[in-house]
């Protein structure tokens, strides 16, 4: 029910709202010390009414950061490829689900994410504990499990709108808290992350 409510609010946003939020989000994200030090960042290309990520991806690339983007596999796991600018993206329709923008170049394998210093996560909400509510497909749960299994300890940062920082989201035993949330109005860290 919470997912439906959050998606309904997002779907009411205009393209201008999404663009403006993306610019503000990029500005705040770039102030994060973990992004300033990062050599490799795993990110994603926002779609629809998700907080815009392209400005942030381009700013990271301009800093010389290697940016990895996901490609959805048939089993909902994620492969990864390198972002080389907007022209390096392909629009991919995944069955009856939404179309995603994925890297058009070589695939690096699902384990490529373990090289990331920071993983920027999509989500629908985060709570005061740093627990993230995703869309429910499990793709990023697999990514987080892969990171843990590999002993990788990247900083986990979720990108959201201001109203999506809530008191509490449902969490299961396998869920892990994020280190920070970036919204158009600023950054908030979580001690448990």
């Amino acid at each position: 029910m919470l997912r439906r409510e959050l998606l309904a609010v997002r779907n009411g946003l205009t393209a201008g709202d999404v663009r403006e939020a993306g610019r503000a989000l990029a500005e705040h994200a770039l102030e994060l010390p973990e992004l300033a030090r990062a050599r490799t960042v795993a990110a994603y290309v926002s779609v629809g009414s998700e907080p815009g990520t392209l400005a942030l991806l381009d700013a990271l690339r301009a800093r010389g950061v290697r940016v990895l983007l996901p490609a959805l596999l048939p089993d909902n796991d994620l492969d990864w490829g390198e972002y080389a600018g907007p022209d390096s993206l392909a629009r991919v329709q995944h069955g009856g689900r939404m179309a995603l923008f994925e890297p058009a170049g070589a695939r690096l394998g699902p384990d490529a994410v373990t090289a990331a210093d920071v993983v920027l996560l999509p989500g629908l909400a985060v709570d005061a504990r740093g627990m993230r509510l995703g869309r429910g497909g499990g793709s990023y749960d697999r990514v987080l499990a892969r990171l843990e299994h590999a002993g990788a300890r990247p900083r986990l940062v979720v990108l959201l709108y201001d109203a999506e920082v809530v008191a509490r989201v449902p969490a299961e035993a396998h869920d892990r808290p994020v280190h920070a949330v970036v919204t158009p109005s600023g950054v908030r860290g979580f001690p448990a992350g």
Side-chain angles (χ1 to χ4, degrees), residues 72 74 83 88 103 109 154:
L72 187 65
Y83 178 62
S88 71

Side-chain angles (χ1 to χ4, degrees), residues 69 106 186:
L69 295 178

